[in-house]
Amino acid sequence: MAMIRFENVTKRYRGTAKPALDRVSFEVLRGEFVFLVGASGSGKSSCLRLILREDTPSSGNVMVLGRDLRTLANRKVPYFRRHVGAVFQDFRLLPNKTVFQNVAFTLQVIGSSRAFIRQAVPEALNLVGLGDKQKRMPHELSGGEQQRVAIARALVNRPQVLLADEPTGNLDPATSIDIMQLLARINANGTTIVMATHEAGFVDQMQRRVIELRGGVMLRDERHGRYSDTSGLPQLQPEQIRGAAAAAALTAVLELQREVGIEPTVTDAAIATASANGVADAVASSAPVPPSHSAGTGEPQHATPEGQEARPRTQPVPLVDRAEADVAELGLADRLGLGGSQDDEVGPTS
Ligand code: ADP
Ligand code: MG
């Protein structure tokens, strides 16, 4: 079932000559993890704002959860948004509210019962590992913890879709790893995720679907994509992040495999190797690093001198796909909420 569908969507902002999105079409299915990549200004945030119905297209159709957003009445938008969570680069927490109150706030706004709030908020905070910080204020938390609160807030309604607009953009590499792992786990539990990002390492290692925008035009849509194809985009991240991100992705896969009871195909040593390569590459700075082969994890990425074509050199390691296949085979899809039994639940009807 299509969770999100763009049909020939064009977005023009007032007073601008060039459209921010130019005849973009794609479809996101239930349970998918989609990376939306592209340089700054390529239209990623515009895309996510249209999905959230924070904005409307100049032409074309945006369908979310079976709803044509063009015909969705304004008064129904809050109900619609219960089903679509969102997190942002700058967290957007309410500074004068505690962690608990921040997560509870959206529920209060939509009129949830106090009993439900008392149950759902701690559940969401436990899910993101912050069960013990409910009384803290946002300024008492690290950036990573603040983003976890934002994720808990986005998930507290159990939305079918989670949108993440550069969620690791303000975080250091190690913290970004934690957040990426968390998002991978949330997706493994059945939530469809669309994530706009610049983090090449995550995209390369996760081997998930990649939709690339350039100047508002969709350049590619690959089922198992990489951050940069043959296009040599200039915004590739430094090797340090790339290595750390590689470790993160592998750790996330390992956790997923353990969680669903699959024989792990990722070793702790492989994760350490990925991590170490990042550090080594950082030391070597811009000098190209000779290839070193490490079985099972693919070759480490190379430093790419600016201006040269950034051709990916890793072999595909479809670990996540393999995990997905195993999940299906073991009949775990339903338990993880990946089954089709909720197909008639297409969002708000009131
Ligand atoms: P990204 O998230 O990929 O950086 P955006 O969607 O934010 O890209 O922006 C796409 C293009 O639309 C850019 O050229 C940007 O300047 C323009 N744009 C975004 N929001 C507005 C706005 N509210 N008014 C006018 N132009 C905008
Ligand atoms: Mg943006």
Side-chain angles (χ1 to χ4, degrees):
M1 176 201 162
M3 305 299 276
I4 300 166
R5 199 174 143 87
F6 270 48
E7 296 170 348
N8 228 15
V9 170
T10 293
K11 176 64 192 176
R12 278 195 183 79
Y13 291 105
R14 208 186 303 273
T16 58
K18 207 172 161 297
L21 292 173
D22 191 356
R23 288 161 293 170
V24 170
S25 299
F26 62 85
E27 197 172 71
V28 176
L29 302 181
R30 181 192 292 279
E32 279 195 288
F33 193 120
V34 181
F35 286 112
L36 201 54
V37 308
S40 181
S42 59
K44 303 182 296 296
S45 295
S46 296
C47 220
L48 297 181
R49 279 199 299 273
L50 291 177
I51 297 169
L52 274 174
R53 226 308 205 127
E54 284 181 0
D55 212 340
T56 50
S58 308
S59 64
N61 279 326
V62 177
M63 312 275 294
V64 180
L65 304 168
R67 288 304 176 100
D68 182 346
L69 297 194
R70 181 189 295 276
T71 61
L72 185 71
N74 282 335
R75 66 190 161 80
K76 289 187 179 170
V77 168
Y79 296 95
F80 162 74
R81 291 207 185 122
R82 291 184 189 187
H83 298 264
V84 186
V87 294
F88 305 91
Q89 180 170 354
D90 55 359
F91 321 137
R92 302 193 188 177
L93 299 180
L94 299 163
N96 300 321
K97 290 187 181 292
T98 65
V99 165
F100 182 97
Q101 289 166 339
N102 263 280
V103 178
F105 186 69
T106 26
L107 294 177
Q108 287 162 347
V109 167
I110 62 173
S112 302
S113 74
R114 277 174 56 191
F116 177 75
I117 291 172
R118 267 200 300 269
Q119 189 202 334
V121 173
E123 257 177 38
L125 285 168
N126 284 332
L127 178 76
V128 302
L130 288 180
D132 57 343
K133 303 216 164 153
Q134 303 189 30
K135 295 203 169 104
R136 300 288 187 88
M137 301 301 285
H139 75 264
E140 298 175 304
L141 303 177
S142 69
E145 288 170 335
Q146 290 184 50
Q147 190 59 294
R148 283 169 186 275
V149 175
I151 292 171
R153 179 179 59 184
L155 291 178
V156 73
N157 266 316
R158 302 181 178 277
Q160 297 167 69
V161 176
L162 178 65
L163 306 179
D165 196 352
E166 314 226 13
T168 60
N170 279 356
L171 303 175
D172 61 73
T175 309
S176 298
I177 289 171
D178 295 340
I179 295 297
M180 195 62 227
Q181 253 174 263
L182 178 58
L183 293 176
R185 187 152 56 86
I186 289 163
N187 175 246
N189 281 304
T191 308
T192 307
I193 297 187
V194 180
M195 171 174 166
T197 187
H198 278 123
E199 308 265 11
F202 294 145
V203 179
D204 289 348
Q205 292 297 320
M206 292 284 286
Q207 298 278 325
R208 294 307 190 94
R209 182 169 166 197
V210 172
I211 293 175
E212 180 176 348
L213 294 168
R214 185 185 289 173
V217 175
M218 219 171 100
L219 272 193
R220 65 184 167 120
D221 180 357
E222 282 179 8
R223 176 108 173 79
H224 308 294
R226 293 203 180 88
Y227 185 85
S228 179
D229 198 18
T230 51
S231 46
L233 295 178
Q235 71 279 12
L236 283 168
Q237 293 294 303
E239 291 303 299
Q240 187 182 2
I241 294 177
R242 187 173 270 193
L250 290 177
T251 306
V253 169
L254 177 60
E255 288 213 332
L256 170 61
Q257 290 173 334
R258 282 181 178 150
E259 208 166 291
V260 300
I262 294 168
E263 176 92 12
T265 55
V266 181
T267 62
D268 289 334
I271 293 166
T273 303
S275 183
N277 282 337
V279 174
D281 289 347
V283 170
S285 74
S286 63
V289 175
S292 75
H293 298 261
S294 58
T297 61
E299 300 173 28
Q301 300 277 341
H302 303 246
T304 304
E306 215 169 305
Q308 278 194 15
E309 188 180 75
R311 191 184 292 278
R313 288 164 202 161
T314 50
Q315 289 299 111
V317 187
L319 295 166
V320 176
D321 285 333
R322 192 181 140 180
E324 274 171 0
D326 290 345
V327 167
E329 216 169 283
L330 294 167
L332 289 171
D334 282 335
R335 187 162 75 73
L336 294 173
L338 299 167
S341 57
Q342 297 167 347
D343 268 1
D344 52 349
E345 194 196 304
V346 293
T349 52
S350 55

